[in-house]
Amino acid sequence: MISNFVEELKWRGMLHDAMPGTEEHLLKEMQAAYLGIDPTADSLHIGHLVGVMMLRHFQLSGHKPFALVGGATGMIGDPSGKSDERNLLDEATLRHNENALKEQLSRFLDFNSDAPNAAELVNNYDWMKDFSFLEFIRDIGKHITVNYMMGKDSVKKRLSADAKEGMSFTEFTYQLVQGYDFLHLYRSHNCSLQMGGSDQWGNITTGTELIRRIGGGKGYALTCPLITKADGTKFGKTEGGNVWLDANRTSPYKFYQYWLNTSDEDAEKYIKIFTFLSKDTINALIEEHSAAPHARVLQKRLANEITVMVHSQQDLDNSIKASAILFGKSTADDLKTLDEKTFLEVFDGVPQAEVQRTDIQEGLDMIGALAAKTSFLGSNGEARRELKQNSISVNKEKVKETYLIGTSDLINDRYVLLQRGKKNYFLLIVNE
């Protein structure tokens, strides 16, 4: 059953441009489309997610998606929107990255069913590696003029007067290589549509031109907008760099927090793009959020949906629990359920001091823990005053001056969390 893919993208704010006739072409019967993914890392980051969601919507609409890992183009570098060339990768690294990316993509795309629209992963290195330079310029290059290639915005930008450096021949030919991918997939898989970000329009239309001139057929182009943040900062970036889908690069807790901390304006946009919730459900959530913005209904639902999709329900549950530890009511038992990595991320940036294990084994008195051995508080007198006012907690539980911190208080056998009032945290790290 074919449904209207273009209409779905429109209401979700995921359509930037489409070649005339694309919508009608897709409504006729099942079609095949592809989207290229850069294999320079063994994980996708959330900047890739818009394209991946497009492929998923394409499959849900009854069509056949191809995810193209750009093994060959990844060895060159795409000039679109960039000022530097990429590092070259060897084949072993490319294959490793390809396998890792397929595993992540399989959380979104159905590669394994017997359905005619099962997704496929292809790598352009497989058809480019045996292509000689002479064959390429003879069979492909002669069909596209330099004038045509120079007219592309991505090329103009790199050659403009304010660009620090020129553009290498390697980069200049990128659009020809990407264009040939489209021609190859059109011939070998009857692939009639290429999708990508709006910065890819020039490269995609070079492919449609090759299909017209060499393939004797018609290819279509469709792009999504480049995702931005309302405050002008770059989407998908944090102080630590990219927000990755790989849990070893970006923990589920930090991943969850990224979406939870989006602005109201961005959350309203992102929940349409990065979830598969229906139009009615999303409109109801937006209405509920407008009535009580402080409850952050949109951010919570967005973070929940995308964390489960990329990671798992258990990872979401752990992330919510970890968030509650920092911002809500929790107990020492809750703290002790966190693994060390998540615990340290929850309390990242909290002041800390080191104490010896022997201090803990003998029982560390509260004055020592708060002032004498750590300088969490300014003086022993201040420590006594705070303890008398019942404002000091050890691992989220209130304590008196007579309390001794012992080995049973250790979290992950190494940490003790001190707290004054609701928001002032301090971390004791126990050394051998």
Side-chain angles (χ1 to χ4, degrees):
M1 180 68 183
I2 303 298
S3 59
N4 196 323
F5 171 66
V6 173
E7 193 57 45
E8 183 75 17
L9 294 190
K10 277 180 184 173
W11 80 257
R12 289 185 180 274
M14 294 173 72
L15 183 68
H16 183 269
D17 208 353
M19 196 170 275
T22 301
E23 186 171 3
E24 295 78 4
H25 174 68
L26 294 177
L27 285 171
K28 285 179 190 172
E29 58 185 339
M30 185 187 85
Q31 306 291 352
Y34 87 95
L35 181 137
I37 295 170
D38 172 20
T40 48
D42 60 0
S43 173
L44 301 168
H45 53 72
I46 62 174
H48 292 111
L49 268 183
V50 187
V52 174
M53 299 297 274
M54 285 171 76
L55 286 174
R56 178 61 179 152
H57 282 300
F58 193 71
Q59 190 170 37
L60 289 172
S61 298
H63 299 293
K64 185 176 180 68
F66 284 83
L68 181 143
V69 174
T73 39
M75 289 180 163
I76 298 173
D78 175 7
S80 304
K82 300 179 181 73
S83 57
D84 298 312
E85 292 196 43
R86 293 177 181 153
N87 294 326
L88 303 185
L89 300 176
D90 59 56
E91 186 174 357
T93 304
L94 282 170
R95 294 302 181 192
H96 165 76
N97 292 354
E98 178 184 352
N99 292 333
L101 296 183
K102 183 171 183 179
E103 192 173 324
Q104 288 184 340
L105 288 167
S106 64
R107 294 191 67 85
F108 299 85
L109 302 173
D110 177 10
F111 287 98
N112 300 317
S113 77
D114 296 329
N117 70 327
E120 289 188 37
L121 187 81
V122 291
N123 188 332
N124 62 8
Y125 184 71
D126 292 332
W127 57 81
M128 292 302 298
K129 64 182 177 182
D130 297 323
F131 221 145
S132 77
F133 176 69
L134 290 176
E135 283 176 316
F136 190 78
I137 60 173
R138 180 193 68 201
D139 297 340
I140 308 302
K142 71 176 183 181
H143 293 280
I144 300 291
T145 66
V146 170
N147 306 54
Y148 178 88
M149 295 170 74
M150 293 284 283
K152 303 294 183 180
D153 286 341
S154 58
V155 175
K156 285 179 181 176
K157 198 179 292 184
R158 286 297 299 276
L159 294 177
S160 64
D162 58 343
K164 291 180 182 176
E165 294 181 13
M167 183 187 214
S168 71
F169 173 75
T170 308
E171 279 187 288
F172 183 60
T173 57
Y174 185 95
Q175 61 173 291
L176 272 184
V177 179
Q178 185 171 332
Y180 180 71
D181 288 342
F182 199 176
L183 175 63
H184 175 84
L185 290 173
Y186 175 81
R187 285 168 160 173
S188 60
H189 295 284
N190 199 26
C191 188
S192 57
L193 172 67
Q194 184 183 168
M195 303 187 291
S198 58
D199 60 336
Q200 291 292 310
W201 183 261
N203 293 338
I204 295 173
T205 52
T206 298
T208 63
E209 192 67 10
L210 284 175
I211 289 171
R212 184 180 73 82
R213 295 186 183 194
I214 303 175
K218 185 166 178 58
Y220 294 85
L222 183 150
T223 59
C224 62
L226 298 179
I227 304 303
T228 56
K229 287 174 73 172
D231 63 6
T233 57
K234 192 166 183 180
F235 169 74
K237 292 280 188 181
T238 66
E239 288 180 13
N242 286 324
V243 179
W244 299 92
L245 273 56
D246 184 340
N248 295 315
R249 288 173 176 255
T250 299
S251 71
Y253 168 75
K254 280 198 169 177
F255 185 87
Y256 171 79
Q257 283 292 324
Y258 179 85
W259 299 102
L260 196 64
N261 290 324
T262 53
S263 68
D264 290 349
E265 188 179 340
D266 287 335
E268 189 171 326
K269 180 168 70 170
Y270 295 168
I271 201 159
K272 296 173 184 174
I273 296 171
F274 297 110
T275 76
F276 293 104
L277 297 174
S278 70
K279 193 175 189 177
D280 289 345
T281 301
I282 288 174
N283 287 339
L285 284 167
I286 290 171
E287 201 173 312
E288 186 182 349
H289 183 89
S290 299
H294 62 278
R296 298 179 70 76
V297 171
L298 276 180
Q299 285 91 339
K300 287 174 183 174
R301 188 62 183 272
L302 169 67
N304 289 3
E305 291 285 328
I306 199 162
T307 302
V308 170
M309 191 160 54
V310 170
H311 295 292
S312 69
Q313 182 64 48
Q314 185 179 353
D315 286 322
L316 171 63
D317 295 342
N318 290 342
S319 298
I320 291 173
K321 187 164 60 179
S323 300
I325 283 167
L326 191 56
F327 305 112
K329 292 180 180 178
S330 54
T331 66
D333 288 339
D334 292 329
L335 280 174
K336 288 175 180 177
T337 61
L338 295 181
D339 62 89
E340 183 174 18
K341 188 168 189 267
T342 304
F343 176 81
L344 290 175
E345 285 178 343
V346 169
F347 296 103
D348 184 31
V350 167
Q352 53 187 241
E354 297 180 356
V355 295
Q356 297 304 307
R357 188 168 292 274
T358 50
D359 294 331
I360 302 294
Q361 288 167 340
E362 293 165 4
L364 178 62
D365 67 276
M366 291 310 301
I367 303 301
L370 293 170
K373 284 183 176 289
T374 67
S375 301
F376 175 24
L377 301 182
S379 67
N380 291 356
E382 186 184 354
R384 287 193 180 92
R385 275 196 308 275
E386 295 288 349
L387 285 159
K388 280 178 184 171
Q389 290 169 9
N390 202 34
S391 62
I392 299 298
S393 301
V394 172
N395 294 340
K396 289 285 186 175
E397 294 178 357
K398 299 283 187 184
V399 296
K400 301 291 186 185
E401 186 176 341
T402 53
Y403 189 83
L404 294 176
I405 296 174
T407 52
S408 62
D409 292 308
L410 293 180
I411 298 164
N412 291 302
D413 197 38
R414 190 151 184 241
Y415 308 99
V416 179
L417 183 70
L418 304 178
Q419 191 176 351
R420 179 181 65 176
K422 285 186 176 179
K423 295 182 179 177
N424 292 312
Y425 290 100
F426 194 88
L427 201 57
L428 292 186
I429 301 175
V430 179
N431 286 330
E432 297 301 331

